[in-house]
Amino acid sequence: MDILTLIPIIAGAIALLYAGFLAIRIMKEDEGDDKMRGIAKAIREGAKAYLNRQYKTVFAFAIVIAVILGVAINWQAGVGFISGAALSAVAGYIGMNMTTQGNVRTTNKAREGLQAALSLAFKGGAVSGFSIVGLALIGLGVFYIVFNDARLLVGFGFGACLVSLFARVGGGIYTKAADVGADLVGKVEAGIPEDDPRNPAVIADNVGDAVGDCAGMGADLFETYVVTAMAAMLLASSPIVLGKFGSNGVILPLIIGAMAIFATVVGSFFVKLGKDKKIMNALYKGLIVTTVVSAITFYLADYYLLGGDLGIFISSLVGLGVMACLVVITDYFTSYSHKPVISVSEASKTGAGTNIIAGLGMGMRSTFLPVIVIVIGILVAYYMSGGATSPELGVFGIAIAAAAMLSTTGMIVSIDAFGPITDNAGGIAEMAGLPEDVRNVTDPLDAVGNTTKAVTKGYAIGSAALASLSLFAAYKDEIVIRSGSFLLSLEDPFVLVGLLLGAAMPFLFASYLMTAVGRAAFQIVEEVRRQFREIKGIMEGTAKPDYGKAVDIVTKAALKEMAVPAAVAILSPLLVGFLLNERALGGMLMGVILSGLLLALLMTTGGAIWDNAKKYIELGNFGGKRSPAHAAAVVGDTVGDPFKDTAGPAINPLIKVMNTLAILFIALILTFSVL
C-alpha cells in the first residue's frame, strides 16, 4: 500500500476529530432559561422525527437499489452504493443535529454581545463543514484502497447523490411549506412578527431550517465533494493521463482535499469581528485565509506528486479563483448592501406585481456573470493543463479545477450552516420574549445568514457545473473503453433529441417541487387559519397553539411529495439510454447540465434577492414593517422561498444523479439499447 493513499484518510480523521472537539465545546455552553430550552427541545424533536422518518423511507428503497446494482453491475457497485448513501445520510444528520443544538446556545450567547454569538454560531457550522469533508475523504480513501480502481467508486458516488436528492427534495418541501404558510397567515393576514409564538406554524418553520438548509445542504455538498473527486480520479485513470502522471494523478484529487482540510483549520481561527464590526467581513476573513493557505499546499502537492507540473497547479488555482468569483458575485446580487436587492425593495412600493417582476429580472441577470466566470475557468484550466495537444489532459485539468474548488467545502459549509443556526436563534429569541438587546444581536446575524446561504448555493451549483463536465467526460471514456469510439454531433438526430429532453428535465423536475410546496403550504395555511379561528385566546396570548399539528402536516406532505421528483431523476436517463441509445443519453446529459446550471442559478439567487428585499424593508426602509411595500415584499419572498430553498438547490443533485447513473449503466445500455 502506498503511503500517499493513507494521507486522505488521516486528514479525514483529523477533520472528524476537530469537529468532535468543536461539538464538545458547543455542548458545554448554557442553553438559557426553561422557556428557551423548551422551545429548542420542540424544534430538535421535530427535526429528528422528520429525518428519522425520511431516512427509513429512503433506505427501504436504497436496499432494493443496492441489490439491483449488485446483480446487474457488480457487487462493488452495490456495496459502494449503500456505503455512499449511509455516509451522505450521516453528513445530513450531523448538520441537523448541530443546528438544533447550536441555535438556543447562540441565542443565550447573544446576551454577551455580537462577537460571542458569532463565534458560537460559526463553530456550530464548522462541525458540519469538517464532518462532511472528513466523511467524504475517509469514504473515498478506504474504497480506493480496497478496490484499487477508480471506476469502482461510481456506485459510492451514486449512493451519495441519491440520498442528497431525497434530502434536498424532502427537506426543501418541508421547510418552504412551513415558511410560506407561516408568512401568508401570520405576517400578511394576522400582522404578527415572523417568529411570533402565537403562530401555530412557527415551530415547523424553525424545524424546516434544520432539515432543509442544514441536513439538505450537508448531504448535498457531501455528494458534490465525493462526485467531483471521483470524476477527477476516473479521468486520471484514462490511458493518456495515467501514462503521464501514473497513479499519483489518480490520488491527487484526494490529496488536494486533504491539504485543504489543514488550510480550513487555519482559516477557522480568523473568523473574528474587526474594527468595522461587519459580520460578513469576519466570515470572509476565514474564507480568504483558507483559500491562500490552500493555494500554497496545492503547490506542494503538485511538486511532490507530479514533479511540479505548472499546468495542473494553475488549474487548481483556477478552481480557487472560480470559487472566489462566485462568492463575490452572489454576495453582490443577494446582500441588501448592494443595488440589486435595494432596487427590488424599492419596486415593492408599487405592489407585489412590480416586486415579482423586478425580482425575476434581477434573478435572470444574476445568471450571466457566473457563467462567464465558469467559461473562463474551463478554458484556462483546459489549455494550461495541455488541452491544445491532448484533450484528455485538458479535461483532466478541468476536473482538477473542480476538485480544488470543492476542496474548500469545509469552510464554505461552516459559513452556510451559520445561517440556519442564527435564523433559529432569532426565532427562539422572539418566541421566548427575550429583551430587545438580544434581538439586536440575533437579527443582524440572521440577515447575514441569508446571504451566506445564498452564497453557498451559488458555490454548490457552480461547482456542480464543473463536476458534471468531468462526469460527462468520464461517461465518454467509459464508452470509448467498451466500444472504441464515441462522437456527439448535432447532425445526429439522437443527439439532438437527447439535448432537448435533457434541457427540459430541470424544468419538469422543478415544476413538481414548486407545486409540491404549494400544495403543502395550502394545508398549513388552512391549519393556521383554523387554529386562529377555533382556539380562543391565541391572539391574546392566553391560549397555546397546537404546534405539533403543523409539524405533522408538513412531515407527511414532504415524505409523500418527494417520490415523483426522485423517480424523474432516476428513470429519465435509463429510459433514454435503453429506449434510444448511448448517443441520445450523451445529448441528454449535456442538456441537463446546461439548462440545469442556468435554472438553478436563477432560482437560488432570485429567491435570495426577494428574501433580502423583504428584510431591507423590515430594517425601516421604504416604510418599514406593516407598510404596503412590506406586504408586497412578503408576497415576493413567498414566491422566492421555494425557488431558493427547494427547487433551485435540488437541481444540483439531479444533474449528478443522472450523470452517475449513466456511467453505472453504460455497459448494459450499449448491450441492450433498442436503437
Side-chain angles (χ1 to χ4, degrees):
M1 182 192 303
D2 193 332
I3 188 65
L4 286 174
T5 58
L6 292 177
I7 292 177
I9 298 175
I10 295 170
I14 291 172
L16 292 181
L17 289 172
Y18 188 60
F21 167 73
L22 293 176
I24 291 171
R25 292 188 61 182
I26 291 169
M27 295 300 290
K28 288 181 178 179
E29 296 290 343
D30 187 11
E31 291 185 78
D33 57 39
D34 289 341
K35 191 170 184 180
M36 294 166 62
R37 291 170 183 265
I39 294 168
K41 183 180 179 182
I43 296 170
R44 193 176 304 129
E45 289 177 350
K48 286 183 177 179
Y50 171 75
L51 272 195
N52 288 340
R53 288 173 66 175
Q54 182 189 58
Y55 286 156
K56 284 180 182 177
T57 303
V58 171
F59 274 91
F61 289 106
I63 292 171
V64 174
I65 293 174
V67 172
I68 293 173
L69 292 176
V71 174
I73 310 297
N74 52 53
W75 68 267
Q76 292 95 333
V79 172
F81 172 82
I82 206 70
S83 301
L87 289 180
S88 183
V90 170
Y93 203 91
I94 290 173
M96 176 277 296
N97 190 54
M98 285 318 304
T99 296
T100 57
Q101 295 288 351
N103 53 10
V104 67
R105 291 171 170 83
T106 299
T107 306
N108 192 56
K109 208 70 174 174
R111 302 177 193 269
E112 301 177 20
L114 188 60
Q115 175 59 50
L118 166 66
S119 177
L120 185 60
F122 176 77
K123 287 174 184 173
V127 173
S128 298
F130 281 101
S131 297
I132 287 169
V133 295
L135 290 170
L137 279 177
I138 290 173
L140 286 168
V142 168
F143 268 83
Y144 183 66
I145 288 174
V146 172
F147 295 151
N148 198 31
D149 185 351
R151 293 167 65 188
L152 296 177
L153 295 175
V154 180
F156 183 82
F158 177 49
C161 288
L162 192 64
V163 168
S164 168
L165 182 71
F166 278 109
R168 267 303 191 191
V169 169
I173 293 170
Y174 187 113
T175 183
K176 289 306 109 180
D179 196 0
V180 169
D183 279 358
L184 286 179
V185 184
K187 285 186 177 181
V188 177
E189 295 183 9
I192 58 179
E194 181 170 353
D195 293 304
D196 195 297
R198 292 172 291 179
N199 193 326
V202 70
I203 294 294
D205 188 7
N206 281 276
V207 170
D209 292 331
V211 301
D213 288 328
C214 272
M217 178 58 78
D220 186 357
L221 278 174
F222 173 84
E223 65 89 3
T224 301
Y225 191 99
V226 165
V227 167
T228 302
M230 179 195 77
M233 294 172 75
L234 285 172
L235 293 172
S237 301
S238 65
I240 291 178
V241 181
L242 194 63
K244 182 172 182 179
F245 298 124
S247 60
N248 284 357
V250 180
I251 202 69
L252 178 62
L254 299 184
I255 299 295
I256 284 175
M259 295 298 101
I261 283 179
F262 301 117
T264 305
V265 172
V266 174
S268 66
F269 290 103
F270 286 82
V271 180
K272 295 179 180 179
L273 286 175
K275 293 181 180 179
D276 58 7
K277 299 296 181 182
K278 291 185 177 180
I279 301 166
M280 205 70 193
N281 289 351
L283 297 171
Y284 281 161
K285 276 192 294 186
L287 182 59
I288 290 169
V289 171
T290 298
T291 303
V292 172
V293 176
S294 293
I296 296 170
T297 60
F298 291 172
Y299 176 77
L300 297 176
D302 176 76
Y303 181 81
Y304 284 104
L305 266 69
L306 307 184
D309 188 288
L310 186 61
I312 296 299
F313 172 61
I314 291 176
S315 295
S316 68
L317 295 185
V318 166
L320 295 176
V322 170
M323 177 274 295
C325 290
L326 290 180
V327 167
V328 171
I329 292 167
T330 309
D331 180 89
Y332 171 75
F333 275 100
T334 59
S335 171
Y336 55 59
S337 302
H338 303 297
K339 185 177 179 180
V341 166
I342 295 173
S343 66
V344 175
S345 298
E346 187 173 15
S348 305
K349 294 192 297 184
T350 50
T354 47
N355 168 282
I356 291 172
I357 291 169
L360 275 174
M362 280 298 171
M364 292 176 182
R365 189 179 302 176
S366 71
T367 65
F368 184 71
L369 286 178
V371 168
I372 294 297
V373 168
I374 291 170
V375 165
I376 293 172
I378 288 172
L379 292 176
V380 173
Y382 182 84
Y383 283 105
M384 290 306 300
S385 55
T389 56
S390 173
E392 290 82 0
L393 289 175
V395 174
F396 178 63
I398 295 172
I400 290 298
M405 183 178 177
L406 262 297
S407 69
T408 57
T409 292
M411 179 57 69
I412 292 290
V413 172
S414 301
I415 294 172
D416 172 79
F418 164 90
I421 291 173
T422 56
D423 192 347
N424 265 207
I428 292 171
E430 178 76 34
M431 286 183 277
L434 297 185
E436 187 176 349
D437 63 319
V438 174
R439 289 309 306 258
N440 289 339
V441 172
T442 59
D443 282 352
L445 289 172
D446 180 19
V448 168
N450 278 328
T451 300
T452 65
K453 288 185 286 185
V455 164
T456 305
K457 293 183 182 86
Y459 163 84
I461 293 162
S463 64
L466 291 178
S468 297
L469 288 174
S470 302
L471 284 172
F472 179 78
Y475 170 78
K476 185 202 75 170
D477 284 351
E478 287 294 304
I479 296 176
V480 171
I481 290 171
R482 288 175 168 81
S483 62
S485 64
F486 182 60
L487 178 65
L488 291 180
S489 171
L490 289 179
E491 295 179 357
D492 184 339
F494 289 109
V495 174
L496 187 58
V497 165
L499 277 170
L500 291 172
L501 289 172
M505 206 53 58
F507 290 90
L508 177 66
F509 179 78
S511 75
Y512 280 113
L513 297 183
M514 293 292 290
T515 53
V517 170
R519 284 192 293 267
F522 177 83
Q523 296 179 56
I524 289 295
V525 167
E526 290 297 303
E527 174 60 22
V528 174
R529 285 173 176 169
R530 182 194 68 78
Q531 292 196 34
F532 279 154
R533 184 174 60 249
E534 297 179 5
I535 302 177
K536 304 302 180 184
I538 284 184
M539 295 305 294
E540 292 77 21
T542 57
K544 186 178 179 181
D546 184 357
Y547 300 124
K549 182 65 174 177
V551 170
D552 187 59
I553 287 173
V554 286
T555 297
K556 290 178 178 177
L559 293 174
K560 176 184 176 183
E561 297 282 3
M562 70 183 185
V564 173
V568 168
I570 295 170
L571 295 178
S572 58
L574 296 179
L575 289 174
V576 169
F578 284 113
L579 295 180
L580 296 177
N581 54 41
E582 75 282 0
R583 303 194 309 281
L585 180 54
M588 182 181 216
L589 298 180
M590 291 302 297
V592 76
I593 292 170
L594 294 175
S595 77
L597 168 65
L598 294 171
L599 183 60
L601 286 172
L602 162 65
M603 300 185 96
T604 55
T605 309
I609 291 171
W610 272 312
D611 190 354
N612 273 346
K614 176 199 68 177
K615 281 186 165 51
Y616 185 74
I617 294 173
E618 290 174 348
L619 290 174
N621 301 290
F622 303 121
K625 295 179 180 179
R626 301 194 180 185
S627 66
H630 183 249
V634 169
V635 175
D637 180 38
T638 301
V639 175
D641 273 340
F643 263 48
K644 69 181 175 66
D645 290 326
T646 308
I651 292 173
N652 185 8
L654 166 74
I655 295 171
K656 262 84 68 69
V657 162
M658 293 178 65
N659 276 271
T660 52
L661 257 177
I663 296 173
L664 267 177
F665 280 88
I666 189 56
L668 293 177
I669 289 170
L670 288 171
T671 304
F672 297 108
S673 62
V674 174
L675 299 175

